[in-house]
Amino acid sequence: MADQERCRVERRYLAFFTPWGEEAPTPPNIAAGMLADMVQSVLTEALGAETGIVDMDHLIGASMKHTYHVHLWYAYRFVHNHKFKTPWITGVKEHLADGMKDFFKPDVEGKKSAQSAVSKAKRDLLEKFKKELKEECEKHN
C-alpha cells in the first residue's frame, strides 16, 4: 500500500434518513479549493434545505407514521505530500441495509440497526478509496 505519510485520502461522511418511499437528494458539488472543515457544513446546509429529512441524532422520536431509509453522503479527495491532488469528489450510497433490512423504525433499535448499516457502508467505501489511493499515489511518485 502507498506510504501513509506521503499519500492519503481525506474523507467526510454525513448519514441521514428519508421517509419510506422518498428518494435521497443528490449531494452538492464542492468547489475544488474548499477547506476540509467547510465540507461538512456545506453538506449539512444542503441537507437542511430538503424537507422530510431526519439526521441520525433525531431519528428517535421522528414521525411514527413512517419507517425510514438511511443514506450516506460522502466526499473525498486525495492528498500527496500534504498537497491536494484532486478536487473533492461527492457521492451518495442510498438505501443502506443492515443484513437484508433496508428500512428502520424511529426507535432505539432502529437507530442501532441504522448505525450498523452506516458503519458497513463506510467500511465498503474505505476499501474503494484504498484501491483508488494506490493508483493515485503511483501517479505522484
Side-chain angles (χ1 to χ4, degrees):
M1 183 154 155
D3 179 8
Q4 290 296 322
E5 291 299 312
R6 294 169 33 93
C7 296
R8 65 184 178 87
V9 60
E10 184 175 0
R11 56 198 185 277
R12 300 287 182 268
Y13 303 103
L14 184 62
F16 62 96
F17 297 86
T18 57
W20 176 272
E22 288 190 26
E23 291 302 312
T26 303
N29 287 327
I30 297 174
M34 188 168 292
L35 298 173
D37 57 346
M38 290 177 63
V39 172
Q40 195 77 24
S41 65
V42 168
L43 290 175
T44 303
E45 185 176 315
L47 196 59
E50 297 289 332
T51 59
I53 303 293
V54 178
D55 67 21
M56 185 69 81
D57 291 334
H58 296 100
L59 177 64
I60 297 174
S63 171
M64 294 302 284
K65 298 178 199 172
H66 300 286
T67 54
Y68 292 82
H69 293 292
V70 65
H71 314 279
L72 184 68
W73 276 354
Y74 59 91
Y76 67 103
R77 66 181 172 184
F78 296 104
V79 181
H80 182 78
N81 286 337
H82 306 290
K83 294 180 182 150
F84 307 121
K85 292 298 182 179
T86 63
W88 284 102
I89 302 163
T90 60
V92 63
K93 288 184 76 84
E94 298 178 317
H95 304 285
L96 304 181
D98 182 21
M100 297 298 289
K101 185 171 85 172
D102 71 344
F103 58 92
F104 306 92
K105 292 183 180 180
D107 59 17
V108 173
E109 288 305 313
K111 182 177 178 181
K112 285 181 184 177
S113 188
Q115 286 172 323
S116 176
V118 168
S119 293
K120 182 185 180 320
K122 286 180 178 180
R123 285 191 303 273
D124 292 347
L125 283 169
L126 187 56
E127 288 303 312
K128 172 189 181 296
F129 298 153
K130 283 180 182 179
K131 288 177 187 171
E132 290 181 26
L133 177 62
K134 185 175 182 181
E135 295 169 11
E136 189 67 32
C137 193
E138 287 172 359
K139 292 179 189 176
H140 304 112
N141 284 332

